[in-house]
Structures are given as structure tokens and as C-alpha cells.
Amino acid sequence: MDAEALDELAGRLHGEALGGRGLLQLAATAGLAAYAVWAVVLMPGFRRVPLHLQVPYVPSSVQQVANVMGLLRGRTGKTVDLGSGDGRLVLAAYKQGLQPAVGYELNPWLLWLARYRVRRAGYEGKVSFLKQDLWKANLSDCYNVIVFLAPSVKSSLAAKLLAELPDEARVVAGRFPFPSWTPSSTMGQGLEQAWAYDMKEVRRTARSGTEGRAL
């Protein structure tokens, strides 16, 4: 939708009451705009991922970023954001001293936005964004993992993290917790909440549960 069309739409909303036909036209225009954003910005990254593992892009709020960084305060080592979107969490991790800081993202438009954000902040060449499927990434050398993904993929992701991460690793989940894991600590409330999981404790709990069922 170009600027002239937006001005016309705003004028109609501001200067006159919309009838039924006007409301339908407004809804159709808004729907087309939303579809254009989806088709151009979000869809390209989804084509390569199986449907049940697809996760829509929703940018993290300022408070969500602060909560995640709070749960990673004092830590060191390689930090990755699985599905890094516009790169704000990776950039925040690097600024906090978590290096190297790497984002995995398939969508080319979001990758461009993330790299632009880093360049504008003056950290070009210091933060990495990889156009790679997070499900195929090797996480065995990662010590801090940020996860802002939907509940539908958490079970599959939990299995991958358990298989690959070192005992010293910490996983921080935003918006939605891992349903079968007990967090070491949390920060925030509601949709701003983040959960921290230490892999050594997660594995210990998993082994205890397995031994208890065997008895």
C-alpha cells in the first residue's frame, strides 16, 4: 500500500463515518496489506521447514529482552538464539559480554534486518547471523541458548538440546516454558516471563524420573 493510498484511507477514517460497504473496503485493504507482509517478509523462511516445526516471527519486547539478559547475567561462552528474527536478542547478548553471539534464522528479510540493526549499532563483524535451519545446527559447543519458540515445537527441541548441549549449558526460554523441564530460575510475569534451565539439572531430573519408573 503506497503513501497516497494510506493518506486516503486515513482521511476517510478521520473525516467521515464508514458504512457497511466502507468497512468491507477497509477490511479488504488491511487484509491485503497483511498478506503482502506475510508473503514478502515471513513466508520465504518457512518454505524450507516442515509444517509442524514452523514458528511465526514475533519480535521480543524490551522487557522480554531484559528478562532474558537478567537470566544470563554473569555467564560466559558461546551464545545462540534459535530463530533470531530481527537480531535484538543476539545484539543484547553481545553487549552483555556473551561472545561469540550467533543467531540462526532462515528468513532472508529478517536476516537483512538483523544485520542492519547490528551495523547501525556499530557492531558489524562482531555478531554473526547464519542462514541455517536451527534443527540442523550443531549445538555441542553452545553454553547459552535463547529460545523464543512456540509450544508446539518445544518437545522436539527439548530432545535436540538434551542430545547436543554440554552439561554446563543454560537454556533460556521466553514467552513459553519447556513443559517437561523444571526451571532453575525465572524472571517476569505473563508474556514477559522467561525461564532458565541448567542442562546438568535437567539431565539429572530426567535420569531420576527414568530410574523411578524402572523401579
Side-chain angles (χ1 to χ4, degrees):
M1 198 177 349
D2 58 25
E4 184 178 348
L6 284 170
D7 289 342
E8 180 182 353
L9 182 59
R12 290 182 63 189
L13 284 170
H14 182 72
E16 60 183 78
L18 292 176
R21 183 177 178 181
L23 287 171
L24 286 173
Q25 290 175 342
L26 175 60
T29 303
L32 284 171
Y35 177 78
V37 172
W38 164 258
V40 174
V41 178
L42 300 179
M43 189 184 292
F46 275 20
R47 293 192 183 110
R48 303 181 184 182
V49 181
L51 183 62
H52 70 287
L53 296 180
Q54 291 180 4
V55 180
Y57 164 65
V58 180
S60 306
S61 70
V62 172
Q63 189 57 54
Q64 286 171 339
V65 174
N67 290 340
V68 169
M69 292 304 110
L71 292 171
L72 292 175
R73 188 170 292 117
R75 293 186 58 79
T76 59
K78 182 177 180 180
T79 301
V80 297
D81 183 5
L82 303 180
S84 53
D86 63 10
R88 66 186 66 191
L89 283 160
V90 179
L91 182 56
Y94 181 85
K95 289 180 178 179
Q96 189 165 297
L98 296 167
Q99 302 170 20
V102 181
Y104 288 96
E105 178 59 58
L106 276 178
N107 188 289
W109 296 97
L110 292 176
L111 279 169
W112 179 89
L113 181 59
R115 288 165 180 158
Y116 171 77
R117 180 187 290 273
V118 167
R119 185 167 62 251
R120 186 176 179 184
Y123 293 97
E124 187 174 12
K126 299 178 180 179
V127 176
S128 302
F129 294 99
L130 305 179
K131 188 178 181 182
Q132 183 177 344
D133 185 352
L134 65 89
W135 300 101
K136 297 177 181 178
N138 182 355
L139 305 178
S140 60
D141 62 344
C142 300
Y143 290 89
N144 305 289
V145 179
I146 301 170
V147 179
F148 270 72
L149 299 176
S152 58
V153 303
K154 287 291 175 67
S155 294
S156 298
L157 184 60
K160 176 179 175 62
L161 297 176
L162 279 169
E164 297 181 18
L165 290 180
D167 273 350
E168 297 78 15
R170 168 169 280 199
V171 177
V172 177
R175 293 198 188 98
F176 305 103
F178 283 87
S180 60
W181 291 2
T182 301
S184 305
S185 54
T186 69
M187 272 191 149
Q189 299 292 329
L191 288 179
E192 309 290 353
Q193 189 169 3
W195 296 261
Y197 305 91
D198 294 320
M199 293 309 298
K200 184 179 291 186
E201 293 302 318
V202 170
R203 289 191 174 104
R204 181 178 297 155
T205 301
R207 284 195 298 268
S208 298
T210 302
E211 291 169 0
R213 285 193 297 271
L215 293 175

